[in-house]
Amino acid sequence: MADISSNFLGIKSPNPFWLASAPPTDKKYNVLRAFEAGWGGVVWKTLGSQVKNVSSRYSAVDFGGQRVMGFNNIELISDRPLHINLKEIAECVKLFPDRAMIVSLMADNDKKSWHEIIKKVEDTGAHGFELNFGCPHGMTERGMGAAVGQDPEIACMVVEWVMEAATLPVITKLTPNVHSVVPTGRSVVKAGTNALSLINTIQSITGVDLDTLVPNPYVAGKSVFGGYCGPAVKPIALKFLTTIAQDELTKKVPISGIGGISTWKDAVEFMLLGASNVQVCTAAMKHGFRIVEDMCEGLNNWMDEKGFKTLDDFIGKSVDTITHWEDLDINYHHIAKINQDKCIHCGLCYIACEDTSHQSINLEYGKPYNKYTIKEEECVGCNLCMLVCPVDKCITMEEHRVAPEYVNWIEWQKRGLPLNDH
Amino acid sequence: MIQNNRLTPIQYQENFSDIHPPYENITAAKVDANRCLFCYDAPCMKSCPTSIDVPKFIKQIATENIKGSAHTIFTSNIMGAGCSKVCPVEKLCEGACVYNLLEEKPIPIAKLQRYSTEKAMANKWQLFQRKQSIGKKVAIVGAGPAGLSCAHSLSKEGIDVTIYEKESKGGGLMTYGIAAYKVTPQFCEDEVNYILSIGGIEVKYNHELGRTISLAELQTNYDAVYLGLGVGVARQLDIPGEDMDGVVDAISFIYHLRKNGYPSVPVGDKVAVIGMGMTAIDAATQAKRLGAKEVTMLYRRTEDEMPCTKHELDIAMLDSCEIIWLAAPKEVIGINNKVTQLVCSKMQLGEPDASGRRSPIETEETFSLEVDMVIKAAGQVPFEHLITENGITNNKGKIVIDKNCATNIKGVFAGGDAVNGGKEVVDAVQAGKDGAKAIMAYLNIA
């Protein structure tokens, strides 16, 4: 059995799965249920400024008959009285001393407010802070949340205030509502943050109601841009994560990965790309806390299969495989192959290639089943057919190198090799 | 003893309720619709005699474009609602579904088709706009699937159609010859009305070719004539005792049941059904559901050669009908002209015959069944006399047509069971479409 226990900035948890700062972590009742279900830790829903919430608050994107492929919310930070939150945090820490308790903060934009709240939270026995520089709605209009995260200088200033007062480890949570997370990341690392977490939600409109003609979520005939999360944002989160994991400065601090993680597989992918642990919200909001069971078991089984004994054995292992386009090997070539024994003759590979790609699949008419084969000389190895094929491993990509030697784009140009030759 | 009124009204209702209940709601339909892979050049579509664009109409259910879905179905098959209930889909669209190749359950195409078409009928969506009348008139004989399909196609193009139907209701065998738990009489009537709602089609009921109207009259009064008159009489067994009381043919039996209501139909205690086609299954299961104590189906070949589908056979077996393979009726024995016994020959299989199936050969052995009713469902024979009398070239009563659906008589076209000797409803619908196209060409209408 692999050891899936996690140590993030000295904060220990029995597994690397934390619940992200969000509605599931806004009170004792939920948090105790989460701990009972087996979650390694929680980031308590953001405390700080005074707010008032609206109704409704959430909306979702469904896809292909599946609910909540993407999810957005217009809820603000915690709207419960601070003293109750603090009391409940202390009680949760006492009841589950082996779990991580991080408290998310977003104070008003002055040093005093930050220092005050830090002091109060430290008294609860919590293990660390996460600074909410990411919330993209409601708080931004007041110059908070994403408004801080989008400006490296302001972010730096706030982190400096925090570091003056905090004795506990500090994680700074980054907003993806920027063209790059690296400038703010660097800035807050310089200011002394102990770790980074990303991504927060992405500004979005999930859709428009075709009867009322008002976008979702609906609030008295209006809506606002909400923070997008859930499985749909995972690829974007992975990209931002990798840029932080590759940057010379930001890679020096641990990263907590967030963004559409629903399964142990998602979690492993985040960790391979540099996250030391992960935070989950939408998947739990859709299915409840019980999903952590399979996350732990799946992670464990995968580690055993691959021979990884601890999380550190694989964290960051894939970071260096993301390279620059001009470093890719142009002599690498692969060609699709259709396994006729597995083919169910649905024609999806054919029509995708024929209409939208390189006309590299041959259709031999049959009634009712056509036969589909690859025109090897036409196939550019784009993967489209394999991606749309509904049968596992029916279409595989077979390596057919153009030449044995590695030649990248720069070298290709230098040698004057042929261009636009397809 | 043969008697009617064997059951209580509630028992009748239960026994003849819908055998395949529809989806409760759109959510349920979408679960299956979303499972559809949306195949290209889809095997299901190729396996449909009317070439319904199945992936398209299913995708339209998934996007909640139910009106569009119904339009897609009806464009190819105006009886798409009825076909969703009576088609032997396991050997057509659903049998070809690619999920079968994964050893997974196929998409329930018929059930999805029923969802959209029933919505269309219930809401009376008029999905087709008839072109203005162009002053051409076509007479159609028979308001069955072929005739209605032909009529709808022609009317759409602005042709004025008159249908002559010998019965008092339209729908043909859909209305009169199919088990009531598949389509109810009310449904059949609604479907006919829905098809006719396009306008431009007048149906003259209780008009029979050769009795109240003549082909010559139709030729004189119309620009073209389409014969979709189906098949009629049940095939005779040609065995001694066949004319005794208690020997009935399946089509009349079902016809009676559909026309006069379940309680009025007399059925025996012990019933033998001869044949193993769809009609035989319908007759056997309905006899059972009318209260017969024992129903035994006899077929002269084996399960491998039977004309009905496995699915149909399962229905009969679930209704506790006994099946005896390799048995052919030899003689009906009775007392006072009332059936008491059916003597059968045991058969064995010989060489393949013209149909490609191994032919049954009589053995020396016989056995007899104690029965009080025999239902003959060994196929139907065409209206040979009527057709020959009118000078129409035929093959043992089946009208011969060329590739343009034309008979030997100029301006007279034909299709459906009258031509093929008896196939599925969906085949007749396609024949009607083909006939309409041929008539349009004949009338020089683009």
Side-chain angles (χ1 to χ4, degrees), chain A residues 44-45 96 152 179 208 375:
Chain A
W44 198 276
K45 186 168 160 97
F96 284 90
H179 80 277
V208 182
K375 298 179 201 162

Side-chain angles (χ1 to χ4, degrees), chain A residues 5 28 35 43 65 80 92 129 154 193 205 270 274 277 282 290 303 350 368 375 378 386:
Chain A
S5 68
K28 179 180 165 189
F35 285 160
V43 182
R80 306 170 76 223
C92 291
F129 298 111
I154 298 175
T193 190
I205 297 173
F270 272 77
N277 74 1
T282 311
R290 62 202 164 122
M303 286 173 65
Y350 171 82
K375 298 179 201 162
E378 298 295 334
M386 177 186 73

Side-chain angles (χ1 to χ4, degrees), chain B residues 18-126:
Chain B
D18 208 325
I19 192 167
H20 299 299
Y23 292 110
E24 288 283 334
N25 50 46
I26 181 77
T27 307
K30 277 168 64 181
V31 169
D32 283 331
N34 277 309
R35 218 178 130 242
C36 175
L37 294 172
F38 200 45
C39 293
Y40 172 73
D41 197 22
C44 52
M45 181 174 172
K46 284 184 186 169
S47 302
C48 173
T50 60
S51 308
I52 294 175
D53 192 339
V54 176
K56 182 178 171 186
F57 95 69
I58 292 180
K59 187 85 170 171
Q60 288 173 308
I61 294 175
T63 70
E64 299 183 23
N65 177 11
I66 308 303
K67 203 176 269 185
S69 173
H71 181 260
T72 301
I73 296 162
F74 288 133
T75 298
S76 294
N77 182 341
I78 196 61
M79 291 194 102
C83 284
S84 76
K85 296 165 181 237
V86 306
C87 261
V89 287
E90 51 283 358
K91 65 176 186 187
L92 299 173
C93 54
E94 291 183 20
C97 176
V98 300
Y99 273 119
N100 291 301
L101 303 176
L102 284 173
E103 303 299 330
E104 284 297 314
K105 271 169 76 175
I107 300 296
I109 298 169
K111 196 173 174 184
L112 288 161
Q113 181 168 320
R114 176 172 172 178
Y115 182 79
S116 298
T117 52
E118 278 191 349
K119 279 267 177 300
M121 278 172 58
N123 292 302
K124 297 192 164 56
W125 287 333
Q126 191 46 258

